[in-house]
Amino acid sequence: MAYEKPLPKPNADTRPFWEGCQKSQLRFQKCRHCDHIRWPPSVICPKCHSSDTGWIVASGKGMIYSYVVYHVAFHPAFENDLPYVTAVVNLTEGPYILTNIVGCDPSVLKCDMPVEVVWDDGSQNSACPSSNQSTAPPFQARLEKRK
Amino acid sequence: MSPRKLRDKYAIVGAGYTTQGRIPDRSALSFYVEACVNAIKDAGLSKEDIDGLICYRQFQPVANDVVVTPYLLAQHLGIQPKILSQESYCARGQFLHAISLIEAGFCNYVLIVYGDNALSGKRSFPEGATNSEPADDNAAFGEFSRAAQFAMAARRAMYEFRTGAETWKEIAVSQRKWANLNPIAMMYDKPMTYEDYFKADWVVEPFRLYDCCLISDGGRACIVTSTERARDLRNPVVSIMGIGEHNASVDIHQSDFMAGPTGANIAGKMAFDMADITVRDIDACEIYDCFTYTVEITLQDYGFFGPGEGEDWFKDGRTAPGGTMPVNTSGGLLSESYFMGLTPITEGVMQLMGRCGERQLGSKTGTKEPEIILCSDNGAVFQSHATLILRRS
């Protein structure tokens, strides 16, 4: 079945990030001058205005900063996913990124819940169409058992 | 900076309304033109007086319309203003811009306008939701709509302080009561109970349908000039006692301060400092209310109550007709009509001019006779904030 959801459209600034996703890596720029890890990508650090930039691969771990549950499909390709969750995840390394939370009932989610990235081959998940296209990484909530 | 010398130096002298609601077979341009002409008439000016024209944000046309630019609008109004301006992405500096142009001596009468055929033209907000080519990579995650973005902020707020449906239902229901007194409000003949509020469908949780503002056909305009000139015109003088502006600018998806303080905090301080008053001097509020939560966080950031105290503050109809702090007395964006910041700001002007009929503040609605009204405008998702404190001279 054809993948009908919108795909990321890498541009000169975002291409390294989306290329990283194809290799199951979350890549972020790190300022060599002030160590700020930035998102979204840019030619110059917004903290110190240095253009001296390196790249890191993030651990893929973070916390749900906030999230919402869609009960209406604003795009027809998402109708079968309802209700689905988009979230802003605060990665351990610092950046706040938009993603999906998959693999659990939305009603158990909470802000500051730990989550970890899952890379999908496209067979089940919404945002990962195929291995040779830029994909969007969804995060899975880590539901720790109570002792 | 404290522009206190500008206190009460400028005024809003005319308000231009159009037919509004669901008005099929009208172009967006037609509403812009109608609103402008009515504002000029209302102020008692002639079209040649207008030497500045500022449009609210430009949208892509719907329903085979053309793009409404200030050029096109000026052409249709038969005017050639010294200054034309239009924002492209919701920065809300229109009134600060108008005052600055007049203060600098470039203009005398600046017309500010917004219009749209969004309802009949089935505009979606933002357009990325239905365009075949979404504007950003957020669409890959199914992230669409202002509702989702404000809901994201509201969810974080629910985690950081006490807020949620118990607070927002008060805002939705109180504003509906105002709309029920306003014959031009889209929800005039549709009362709302708490039960109605809770029974409505989720849109993007935590927002239900009645947490979200209306989409409207129509337009709204007003004119800024000096208070000195305003005294020679036909309407009661409503001056700008204080004005403030702040542009936090950060996209909500990358924000690490989602639960506030929003730009209302800094813009509010600037406006109150200029006006040299405090919230205790405010008689009523007209607050940009794209969502119920926007009203709460704006009033919280202005200092009307502390974080999480909104639920108690809004209770018992404090902001409804008969309440001690009327808020959004036309019904607002939630229950009157959506014309960006011009819905709240023109309502503040009309209330102070005493032209609001059944919903008029004062003895008619069991509220205080207003002298000072606090208005707000909000651009994008808490990225831009404007505060106006209006006073009846």
Side-chain angles (χ1 to χ4, degrees):
Chain A
M1 204 174 74
Y3 188 82
E4 289 175 341
K5 289 171 183 161
L7 286 167
K9 283 181 293 208
N11 61 33
D13 293 328
T14 61
R15 189 168 296 115
F17 176 82
W18 294 116
E19 284 176 356
C21 290
Q22 288 173 25
K23 296 179 174 143
S24 300
Q25 290 185 342
L26 284 175
R27 294 177 183 168
F28 294 96
Q29 291 168 308
K30 181 176 182 178
C31 176
R32 289 203 181 100
H33 182 252
C34 76
D35 289 341
H36 174 59
I37 297 173
R38 65 183 182 255
W39 176 257
S42 175
V43 290
I44 282 173
C45 174
K47 297 278 184 203
C48 73
H49 286 194
S50 166
S51 58
D52 191 1
T53 302
W55 289 82
I56 61 140
V57 176
S59 63
K61 293 181 173 141
M63 312 257 266
I64 296 175
Y65 183 59
S66 192
Y67 66 97
V68 297
V69 186
Y70 280 72
H71 292 267
V72 171
F74 292 82
H75 186 296
F78 289 91
E79 252 161 45
N80 291 334
D81 295 349
L82 294 176
Y84 69 91
V85 176
T86 65
V88 172
V89 167
N90 179 205
L91 294 171
T92 309
E93 291 80 5
Y96 289 74
I97 66 166
L98 176 72
T99 188
N100 296 113
I101 303 294
V102 297
C104 68
D105 188 322
S107 66
V108 305
L109 296 177
K110 285 189 169 55
C111 294
D112 288 351
M113 181 179 264
V115 287
E116 189 162 358
V117 70
V118 287
W119 300 101
D120 191 2
D121 63 4
S123 58
Q124 44 180 304
N125 193 274
S126 59
C128 294
S130 71
S131 57
N132 60 356
Q133 279 175 308
S134 293
T135 59
F139 280 63
Q140 191 145 26
R142 193 164 60 209
L143 304 173
E144 289 167 346
K145 281 182 188 162
R146 284 195 184 169
K147 288 177 185 172
Chain B
M1 185 209 58
S2 170
R4 204 169 281 177
K5 63 171 185 171
L6 301 182
R7 173 175 139 154
D8 293 316
K9 194 172 171 188
Y10 297 99
I12 300 176
V13 291
Y17 288 69
T18 69
T19 51
Q20 63 181 41
R22 183 184 291 278
I23 318 290
D25 297 319
R26 286 279 305 262
S27 65
L29 174 65
S30 75
F31 291 120
Y32 270 95
V33 172
E34 186 183 347
C36 286
V37 167
N38 286 342
I40 294 167
K41 271 187 202 156
D42 186 58
L45 293 167
S46 64
K47 65 176 184 172
E48 288 75 20
D49 294 320
I50 303 301
D51 47 16
L53 175 62
I54 299 178
C55 297
Y56 267 66
R57 75 166 283 186
Q58 183 187 89
F59 279 108
Q60 286 306 303
V62 290
N64 290 341
D65 278 10
V66 293
V67 177
V68 179
T69 64
Y71 293 139
L72 186 67
L73 182 55
Q75 180 182 339
H76 281 264
L77 291 170
I79 61 174
Q80 299 187 342
K82 202 175 286 177
I83 297 291
L84 299 177
S85 164
Q86 182 177 40
E87 40 117 351
S88 59
Y89 218 81
C90 280
R92 297 297 169 81
Q94 291 82 0
F95 285 84
L96 201 60
H97 189 181
I99 288 174
S100 303
L101 288 168
I102 305 169
E103 172 71 13
F106 293 117
C107 294
N108 291 326
Y109 297 98
V110 179
L111 178 55
I112 301 175
V113 62
Y114 177 71
D116 202 2
N117 52 351
L119 183 58
S120 295
K122 299 193 168 75
R123 181 184 300 291
S124 65
F125 292 90
E127 295 161 305
T130 52
N131 277 4
S132 55
E133 295 290 323
D136 60 43
D137 291 337
N138 297 338
F141 300 96
E143 175 77 337
F144 301 106
S145 83
R146 287 287 188 236
Q149 295 167 352
F150 277 89
M152 193 77 83
R155 169 74 72 187
R156 183 68 198 182
M158 288 165 71
Y159 180 72
E160 292 193 14
F161 56 84
R162 182 174 154 208
T163 181
E166 289 300 320
T167 306
W168 307 335
K169 73 174 188 195
E170 303 288 345
I171 296 167
V173 168
S174 293
Q175 287 192 211
R176 184 59 63 89
K177 286 179 182 164
W178 284 112
N180 295 150
L181 298 174
N182 181 4
I184 66 165
M186 289 171 72
M187 296 296 158
Y188 174 56
D189 53 3
K190 297 182 181 71
M192 190 203 296
T193 63
Y194 294 138
E195 199 190 349
D196 296 330
Y197 171 86
F198 281 109
K199 268 187 0 201
D201 291 336
W202 292 113
V203 179
V204 181
E205 199 181 333
F207 286 163
R208 292 173 174 83
L209 181 63
Y210 297 129
D211 290 309
C212 305
C213 70
L214 301 163
I215 293 176
S216 315
D217 299 328
R220 195 66 58 84
C222 65
I223 295 169
V224 180
T225 188
S226 67
T227 300
E228 203 181 331
R229 285 192 178 83
R231 289 202 186 95
D232 297 331
L233 297 173
R234 56 192 282 262
N235 286 320
V237 176
V238 174
S239 62
I240 298 170
M241 196 182 186
I243 188 166
E245 189 83 25
H246 185 70
N247 293 287
S249 301
V250 178
D251 186 302
I252 198 73
H253 300 112
Q254 287 115 39
S255 168
D256 61 359
F257 54 99
M258 262 193 212
T262 66
N265 192 258
I266 292 171
K269 281 192 181 104
M270 178 177 160
F272 278 105
D273 185 49
M274 173 172 156
D276 199 16
I277 59 168
T278 71
V279 291
R280 286 186 297 278
D281 299 302
I282 299 298
D283 300 321
C285 300
E286 309 294 348
I287 301 299
Y288 182 86
D289 53 326
C290 48
F291 299 94
T292 48
Y293 169 69
T294 319
V295 178
E296 179 195 8
I297 191 68
T298 301
L299 291 173
Q300 180 174 301
D301 284 344
Y302 282 156
F304 283 90
F305 47 83
E309 293 170 5
E311 187 178 325
D312 291 333
W313 194 85
F314 283 102
K315 253 184 201 155
D316 303 322
R318 182 194 293 259
T319 64
T324 53
M325 182 54 70
V327 173
N328 293 349
T329 53
S330 73
L333 305 171
L334 293 173
S335 282
E336 188 223 315
S337 57
Y338 186 85
F339 302 116
M340 305 228 167
L342 291 175
T343 298
I345 291 165
T346 52
E347 174 67 8
V349 171
M350 294 293 275
Q351 285 286 357
L352 291 170
M353 287 180 176
R355 300 164 64 191
C356 285
E358 289 304 304
R359 70 181 191 281
Q360 179 62 48
L361 293 171
S363 56
K364 209 167 230 173
T365 51
T367 53
K368 196 182 164 205
E369 196 84 34
E371 188 202 333
I372 299 174
I373 294 183
L374 175 64
C375 305
S376 77
D377 194 358
N378 194 313
V381 189
F382 299 122
Q383 282 152 278
S384 190
H385 191 95
T387 306
L388 260 77
I389 301 172
L390 303 177
R391 166 151 71 166
R392 186 188 59 208
S393 288

